[in-house]
Amino acid sequence: MVKISQNLIRRMPKYMRVMGELQEAGITRVSSAELGRILGFTASQIRQDFSCFGEFGLQGYGYNVEHLREEIGKILGTDRGYTAVIVGCGSIGQALINNFNFVDHGIDLIAGFDVNPERIGTVMNHVPILDISEMGKFIKAHNVTVAVLAVPKAVALKTANDLIEYGIDAFWNFTNVDVVPPYSNVIVENVHLSDSLLVLSYQKANNE
Amino acid sequence: MVKISQNLIRRMPKYMRVMGELQEAGITRVSSAELGRILGFTASQIRQDFSCFGEFGLQGYGYNVEHLREEIGKILGTDRGYTAVIVGCGSIGQALINNFNFVDHGIDLIAGFDVNPERIGTVMNHVPILDISEMGKFIKAHNVTVAVLAVPKAVALKTANDLIEYGIDAFWNFTNVDVVPPYSNVIVENVHLSDSLLVLSYQKANNE
DNA sequence: TAGATTGTTAATCGATTAACAATC
DNA sequence: TAGATTGTTAATCGATTAACAATC
């Protein structure tokens, strides 16, 4: 198979999103030209992108929306039954528990962990909040795929190291701490809100 | 001046972050080679990047950390005295108010807006929460630079259009709704958490 | 001065776009 | 069949890297 560039990987979720919207709108087929119009990409790029993973279209017809969506889902791993826990249930953790639809991404959010006794034992949006001291046992018992790291900066590194010890090898990292360097087989996706806001500031400052 | 690529713009906040860390650590000078080691970039790329904006270094010496940080700040607009309001103070909005350090990005968060009477009139982390019906008047009176959009999906488009009418032309968009298409002179920075999680899922699914 | 490191030009590499034969 | 649109190869474009003269 061809080399999958970082740029291409970041475009895949966008294809996924559009396929969902088309499906909801009851549209059953779509051409690369139409997809290009929707996303602001060239038709060429879209066909090139898909061809890196297989042949999903039909000459003279285009792409079947449902089928393409399924295939992209397989590529992105949304069909794998992944599970997640949120570590740190402060305001960021709670915002994710209450607002982010993990199920839509094929991920089952099975628990939150915190140190605050007022939170421990509660249930937020069907997710039980457990004592962080039980985390090791829980993770070993439940085959957890992803740890959502939303703890305070000061304990980010220590918590990440603990999680790695418990067998976690994929982090969705909301702390502004680089938690990865030496562990090359640990996957970290950083959510750098800072970078995002600074890009906006740049655009504003250089708009005219 | 040279053309500034999107890739370069997205690297600038990372340089900014490292300069801050170096400064905190009391380091006063740094070479492109050392920066490259820290960030995982080539020294060549770093010099090339900086040269798009000016000459900030000194042959045989490298870059003065404080000076370079200041210059990058100017490029990113952190010295412009921008102000922001948060529109929608549900859990995402509150998480930002309580956790995100706007001041570190040179931005003054001056108000939140909501429809919920229980929130209106309160103060969160020094930020007053006001009735959304007063938003138009407030924005016209206070020269607001950025609107942080954190309202429910259903009212995202309507709220964005209102804000544009009140004179807002820069959005930090936490809704999963594209709020921009036709308004070409409105800047939108989308925080697509979905995309981020799907990339993580992809990496996990294709790790071995 | 000798050593270090920049800013910049040229070379390479990779990603996007264009073109088109294959085929539904 | 004629029209449409894919998958793929080739051409172009842009971004990264290498090299080096300038100079602190």
Side-chain angles (χ1 to χ4, degrees):
Chain A
M1 203 181 276
V2 236
K3 216 213 143 229
I4 310 299
S5 76
Q6 210 54 30
N7 287 353
L8 169 51
I9 294 173
R10 305 236 154 231
R11 282 194 295 273
M12 294 308 286
K14 300 185 193 302
Y15 294 133
M16 187 68 171
R17 178 159 53 88
V18 171
M19 296 323 285
E21 286 167 6
L22 291 174
Q23 210 172 13
E24 268 184 43
I27 293 163
T28 57
R29 63 179 269 200
V30 68
S31 67
S32 57
E34 177 59 15
L35 270 179
R37 231 168 290 127
I38 295 169
L39 282 160
F41 303 166
T42 64
S44 224
Q45 174 158 73
I46 289 168
R47 294 202 300 279
Q48 189 74 276
D49 281 355
F50 292 164
S51 77
C52 293
F53 297 104
E55 304 189 4
F56 306 133
L58 209 63
Q59 279 106 327
Y61 173 88
Y63 301 90
N64 176 281
V65 170
E66 192 181 339
H67 176 242
L68 183 55
R69 187 175 187 227
E70 242 173 64
E71 292 295 333
I72 297 174
K74 277 186 214 161
I75 294 164
L76 292 173
T78 59
D79 64 335
R80 303 224 175 185
Y82 288 151
T83 58
V85 297
I86 293 195
V87 185
C89 300
S91 54
I92 293 178
Q94 287 181 34
L96 290 169
I97 292 173
N98 291 314
N99 283 275
F100 190 82
N101 197 335
F102 284 86
V103 173
D104 276 359
H105 305 75
I107 290 175
D108 192 9
L109 179 62
I110 57 176
F113 291 95
D114 206 289
V115 293
N116 185 335
E118 287 186 15
R119 289 178 194 145
I120 294 166
T122 65
V123 175
M124 297 176 183
N125 195 19
H126 311 290
V127 178
I129 311 303
L130 309 176
D131 191 321
I132 207 159
S133 67
E134 297 169 28
M135 195 164 65
K137 208 171 57 184
F138 184 95
I139 286 171
K140 280 167 192 160
H142 284 85
N143 191 29
V144 175
T145 321
V146 172
V148 182
L149 201 63
V151 296
K153 212 171 166 164
V155 297
L157 210 57
K158 158 91 174 102
T159 309
N161 286 338
D162 286 349
L163 284 161
I164 290 167
E165 204 163 296
Y166 303 149
I168 293 291
D169 67 350
F171 286 91
W172 200 22
N173 179 24
F174 284 81
T175 75
N176 286 315
V177 178
D178 284 326
V179 292
V180 69
Y183 311 97
S184 60
N185 55 348
V186 172
I187 302 160
V188 179
E189 171 73 15
N190 293 301
V191 178
H192 278 313
L193 295 183
S194 275
D195 291 13
S196 173
L197 183 59
L198 288 175
V199 168
L200 179 64
S201 177
Y202 171 86
Q203 311 275 19
K204 177 76 187 173
N206 297 274
N207 202 22
E208 54 238 327
Chain B
M1 204 181 276
V2 235
K3 215 213 143 229
I4 309 300
S5 77
Q6 210 54 32
N7 286 354
L8 169 51
I9 294 172
R10 305 236 153 230
R11 281 194 295 273
M12 294 308 288
K14 300 185 193 303
Y15 295 132
M16 187 68 172
R17 179 159 54 89
V18 171
M19 297 323 286
E21 286 166 9
L22 291 174
Q23 210 173 12
E24 267 183 44
I27 293 163
T28 56
R29 64 179 266 202
V30 68
S31 67
S32 56
E34 177 58 15
L35 269 179
R37 230 168 289 128
I38 295 170
L39 281 160
F41 303 165
T42 63
S44 226
Q45 172 159 74
I46 289 168
R47 294 202 301 280
Q48 190 73 277
D49 281 354
F50 292 165
S51 77
C52 293
F53 297 103
E55 304 192 2
F56 307 132
L58 209 63
Q59 278 106 325
Y61 173 87
Y63 301 89
N64 175 282
V65 171
E66 192 182 339
H67 176 241
L68 183 55
R69 186 174 188 228
E70 242 173 62
E71 292 295 332
I72 297 175
K74 278 187 215 162
I75 293 164
L76 291 173
T78 59
D79 63 336
R80 301 223 176 187
Y82 288 151
T83 58
V85 297
I86 293 194
V87 185
C89 301
S91 54
I92 293 177
Q94 287 181 36
L96 291 169
I97 292 172
N98 291 315
N99 284 275
F100 191 83
N101 197 336
F102 284 86
V103 173
D104 275 0
H105 305 76
I107 291 176
D108 190 9
L109 178 62
I110 57 175
F113 290 96
D114 207 289
V115 293
N116 186 334
E118 286 185 16
R119 289 177 193 144
I120 295 167
T122 64
V123 175
M124 298 175 181
N125 196 18
H126 311 291
V127 178
I129 311 303
L130 308 177
D131 191 321
I132 206 161
S133 66
E134 297 168 29
M135 195 163 67
K137 207 170 59 187
F138 184 96
I139 286 172
K140 281 167 190 161
H142 284 84
N143 189 28
V144 175
T145 321
V146 172
V148 183
L149 200 63
V151 295
K153 212 172 168 167
V155 297
L157 210 57
K158 158 91 175 104
T159 309
N161 286 337
D162 287 349
L163 285 160
I164 290 168
E165 202 163 298
Y166 303 149
I168 293 291
D169 67 350
F171 287 90
W172 200 21
N173 179 24
F174 284 80
T175 74
N176 285 315
V177 177
D178 284 325
V179 291
V180 68
Y183 311 96
S184 59
N185 53 349
V186 173
I187 301 160
V188 179
E189 172 72 15
N190 293 302
V191 178
H192 278 312
L193 295 182
S194 275
D195 291 13
S196 173
L197 182 58
L198 288 175
V199 168
L200 179 65
S201 177
Y202 171 87
Q203 313 273 18
K204 177 75 186 174
N206 296 274
N207 202 23
E208 55 240 327

